[in-house]
Amino acid sequence: MFDCFRDGAGELLKRPDYLADFGRVYESDISLLAKIERGQTFREQGSPSWDAFASGDWAGALRLIESERDSVAAYFRDAARRSLAFRRIRVVEFPVSPYLQWEMNSFRLRSELGEQIRVLDAREIADLERETQVPEIVILGSSVMYAVIYDDDLKGAGALRFTEPDEIKTTTSEFESLYAKGEEFSEFFEREIAPLGPPTVH
């Protein structure tokens, strides 16, 4: 599974080029934006809520997430008008990391407003990760897919781009297989995240 990402293939894009290329998501022939996220902690560039979380201001981080409700709702309404669906698989290890606790609160908003998110226990994919972890993948319809790259500070640094149609088709099928195994986000959140107190940030 995900073999095309394991052989060093793909065209390397630095972060500005990746973000510019990702803009094709607004093209009319793209009907699906699918993501697999595997890492348990990252540094989010340009997120006031993450900055508040990282500084230890948990209440402020949650307020800032909620303050984005109107803009996020508008984003998903526009996507719906263009028949663009968002589907995400979030792989989770236990105990849940402080970053993931923050991210899940962000995802709660997105889930309420239109994103289809499922959570997958990392133990469920242990057989796929005997040699290396499942990559961080973004698929844009049948047009392109990316393996997202992070630097040593866990900041987004760019991506490897793949455009071969058969590889995209195969990866999309593999994504759907894992998505079917995942737990609905709301159920996971209420059981595993909602009862948690403020995270300790190191």
Side-chain angles (χ1 to χ4, degrees):
M1 186 173 275
F2 306 121
D3 290 341
C4 68
F5 297 99
R6 303 183 190 277
D7 59 6
E11 178 186 359
L12 179 61
L13 301 178
K14 293 185 178 179
R15 180 175 170 83
D17 298 323
Y18 164 52
L19 295 177
D21 196 71
F22 184 86
R24 70 174 77 194
V25 71
Y26 298 106
E27 296 177 3
S28 60
D29 64 333
I30 294 176
S31 60
L32 174 67
L33 193 168
K35 291 186 176 183
I36 301 175
E37 293 179 313
R38 178 62 180 87
Q40 303 300 291
T41 186
F42 295 110
R43 297 175 63 88
E44 296 290 344
Q45 303 175 66
S47 169
S49 176
W50 184 88
D51 289 339
F53 152 72
S55 71
D57 182 7
W58 183 239
L62 296 182
R63 283 196 301 270
L64 286 164
I65 288 172
E66 184 60 31
S67 73
E68 297 176 349
R69 179 174 291 274
D70 289 347
S71 61
V72 174
Y75 181 77
F76 282 113
R77 284 197 300 270
D78 177 66
R81 284 194 293 268
R82 294 184 285 112
S83 299
L84 174 62
F86 290 74
R87 304 183 83 179
R88 187 190 305 260
I89 298 168
R90 197 19 161 141
V91 179
V92 174
E93 296 177 9
F94 293 93
V96 172
S97 70
Y99 171 86
L100 266 176
Q101 186 179 346
W102 168 79
E103 185 183 60
M104 288 293 175
N105 279 276
S106 177
F107 285 173
R108 183 183 192 184
L109 178 66
R110 297 178 68 88
S111 177
E112 290 173 355
L113 297 175
E115 185 164 347
Q116 302 166 41
I117 305 174
R118 290 192 178 179
V119 179
L120 193 59
D121 188 324
R123 291 169 291 193
E124 294 291 322
I125 57 171
D127 60 324
L128 303 179
E129 298 190 325
R130 292 191 182 100
E131 297 181 4
T132 186
Q133 289 187 346
V134 167
E136 310 276 332
I137 298 171
V138 179
I139 305 168
L140 300 185
S142 59
S143 299
V144 64
M145 62 185 181
Y146 310 93
V148 183
I149 298 169
Y150 295 86
D151 63 20
D152 292 341
D153 293 326
L154 301 177
K155 296 179 181 177
L160 294 170
R161 177 172 60 188
F162 300 79
T163 57
E164 207 285 319
D166 285 344
E167 291 181 342
I168 297 172
K169 183 178 180 180
T170 297
T171 301
T172 301
S173 177
E174 293 168 341
F175 170 90
E176 295 295 347
S177 177
L178 288 185
Y179 188 85
K181 294 180 180 180
E183 179 179 9
E184 290 291 343
F185 177 81
S186 60
E187 297 175 6
F188 176 86
F189 186 92
E190 292 304 320
R191 187 184 68 251
E192 302 288 351
I193 304 300
L196 298 176
T200 300
V201 182
H202 300 290

